């Protein structure tokens, strides 16, 4: 969407804990050309549970040059790191 001179996209990160104990994850944006709002940047998921975490990304419309690849890093606290890539869409 376009609003107040900004282009905004939103998506969800779906986390699933397949372990027999609770797991904590942190989520952060890693693309420097956009701004991220992650309402729940740290989340604990119960054993065999799942959560969908919303992620909002904004960019000044004046800097938007077309569809842009953006990245989000998901870290399992005490474990692996995974980088997710999606496309920031909008109209010039």
């Amino acid at each position: 969407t376009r609003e107040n001179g900004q282009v905004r996209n939103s998506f969800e990160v779906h986390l699933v804990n397949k372990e027999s104990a609770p797991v904590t994850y942190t989520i952060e944006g890693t693309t420097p050309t956009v701004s991220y709002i992650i309402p729940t940047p740290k989340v604990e998921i119960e054993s065999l549970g799942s959560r969908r975490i919303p992620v909002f990304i904004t960019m000044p419309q004046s800097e938007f040059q077309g569809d842009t690849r953006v990245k989000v890093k998901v870290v399992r606290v005490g474990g692996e790191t995974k980088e997710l890539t999606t496309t920031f869409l909008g109209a010039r």
Side-chain angles (χ1 to χ4, degrees):
T1 62
R2 291 186 296 169
E3 186 176 300
N4 298 325
Q6 299 283 318
V7 179
R8 183 178 71 187
N9 281 205
S10 63
F11 64 95
E12 290 181 327
V13 174
H14 185 202
L15 300 172
V16 178
N17 176 10
K18 296 181 181 179
E19 303 293 326
S20 60
V23 174
T24 300
Y25 297 91
T26 61
I27 304 166
E28 67 181 81
T30 60
T31 303
T33 56
V34 298
S35 297
Y36 292 85
I37 297 173
I38 304 171
T40 312
K42 186 173 186 178
V43 61
E44 182 177 294
I45 301 176
E46 68 280 356
S47 172
L48 305 176
S50 68
R51 294 270 307 268
R52 293 183 183 273
I53 308 302
V55 176
F56 303 94
I57 303 171
T58 60
M59 172 187 287
Q61 188 171 349
S62 60
E63 294 180 22
F64 184 75
Q65 300 297 314
D67 297 351
T68 305
R69 303 297 278 173
V70 294
K71 296 183 179 189
V72 173
K73 182 168 63 172
V74 177
V75 178
R76 178 181 169 181
V77 175
E80 68 180 307
T81 296
K82 191 171 205 174
E83 194 162 65
L84 309 173
T85 303
T86 190
T87 303
F88 186 96
L89 305 172
R92 288 190 242 183

